[in-house]
Amino acid sequence: MPDPPHASADPDSTVDENRLEELIIEAQTALPVELPDLANRCAAALGLGTALIYLVDLQQQLLIPLDEALEPLPVDRSSAGWAYRTVTPRVADAGDDMIAWMPLVDGAERLGVLAVRTASLDGVRMRRSRMLAYLFAMLITSKRTYSDWLAARTRTATMRLPTEMLRAFLPSHTIGSSKCVSTAVLEPAYDVAGDAFDHAVVKNILHTMILDSMGHDLASGLTTSVAMAAARNARRGGGDLTDVVDSVDQALAQWLPDHFCTGVLCRLDSATGTLRWVNCGHPPPLLIRADRVLDGALDSPPQPPIGLVGQLAPAARQVHETTLEPGDSVLLYTDGVVDARDANGAEFGLDRFTDFIIRSTAAGQRPAEVLRLLIHAVLDYQRNQLRDDATILLFEWRPQYQ
């Protein structure tokens, strides 16, 4: 695989502040396709060599350069991938030059990496490389919301219409604060229809949700999309957990009376560790504490799925509550994860699923990397042919890191 373009000379150590100011102002109105050239010019203004932007693909297997003349790099077998996986800079030799692979991160969301190539690297140049990575992470985040080009660059296959509709509603894979983090993955990336996840932080409250609509067509995707919109509408209007679930119930009953979905909705107070949740006909959440699953800790009496009408509709949703301990993780998932089968028909299973998470976490992997590795393991187990959508959401309460 080709290296980034050669840095022709050792850059000057001084910063052209006037030029840098001009470039930052220009960045506000720059088209997404102009970001590669802009990155190079910003690097020069900082006294560095060249800079290249790589964004991770939808399945987090490849780092795809915005320079369309270059080839992607593997996430699992490259210095660039190491920087992405660990969210840590990685320095590599490149002939007469050095490359600093800098992670591109928006809050807790991993976007890709920035390759800064220069004749030499010292503390000053590393600091400037980090600054450049911070700047372009913000630029990419702001521009990818309206850029079809950036979306297309990070795809490696054709996306079906139901998936396109549903993915338009999905939030970032990973969000968080100093006290909690939530991360999720969803497969099959280009053919999902009924599964979805949502998470948001409102002051000190982390809201999480996982949904599974019946079917695998445009109608199931529409069901999930309406459910997500109704939940956000109630949440943003100041509604509590009961209001959010009721809003989803009413929306589906009104607009899609013949469709329903299962789901779990959670509300974590990151200041106190109080967790409240509602389970609507879905597999129960799992509580992981001190490297083991606490069996049945978040089980609850069964409640009907969301969106049932008439006599099938529940009189009132039951909200359950517990208090987490620092370091606890809560795992939400759809049945497509544990029901995945190998060539002999053996299920991936809940034990294999939870053991993978516990072992990866104990090995020091970050939550987002744990789920990336896990969803790839599920895909490999079923030879990349999932029979059902598979969605996983993991959130942690970690007040000790504040």
Side-chain angles (χ1 to χ4, degrees), residues 272-319:
T272 65
T274 300
L275 174 67
R276 303 177 73 235
W277 77 97
V278 177
N279 188 340
C280 306
H282 200 80
L286 301 176
L287 176 59
I288 300 175
R289 175 177 295 163
D291 295 336
R292 69 184 186 91
V293 176
L294 300 189
D295 292 335
L298 302 182
D299 287 358
S300 58
Q303 297 189 64
I306 308 171
L308 297 181
V309 297
Q311 295 181 343
L312 296 176
R317 294 291 185 181
Q318 294 180 325
V319 179

Side-chain angles (χ1 to χ4, degrees), residues 100-114:
W101 295 100
M102 312 301 296
L104 290 170
V105 182
D106 173 38
E109 173 81 338
R110 301 181 298 179
L111 306 175
V113 295
L114 181 72

Side-chain angles (χ1 to χ4, degrees), residues 376-389:
H376 289 171
V378 172
L379 286 168
D380 290 343
Y381 191 80
Q382 200 163 322
R383 304 168 306 285
N384 212 35
Q385 297 294 324
L386 289 175
R387 302 179 183 180
D388 192 9
D389 297 347

Side-chain angles (χ1 to χ4, degrees), residues 146-193:
Y146 62 82
S147 172
D148 286 348
W149 180 71
L150 286 176
R153 284 298 292 161
T154 56
R155 296 182 181 183
T156 59
T158 301
M159 185 173 290
R160 293 179 64 246
L161 175 58
T163 308
E164 190 76 63
M165 178 181 67
L166 188 55
R167 282 200 172 274
F169 279 88
L170 294 181
S172 300
H173 284 286
T174 307
I175 64 170
S177 68
S178 60
K179 296 182 179 180
C180 59
V181 63
S182 176
T183 186
V185 288
L186 175 62
E187 285 285 353
Y190 299 92
D191 194 29
V192 69

Side-chain angles (χ1 to χ4, degrees), residues 7-14 43-44 46-50 117-120 125:
S8 59
D10 188 9
D12 193 280
S13 61
T14 61
L46 286 168
L48 302 169
T50 59
R117 185 162 189 165
T118 186
S120 63
R125 287 179 174 84

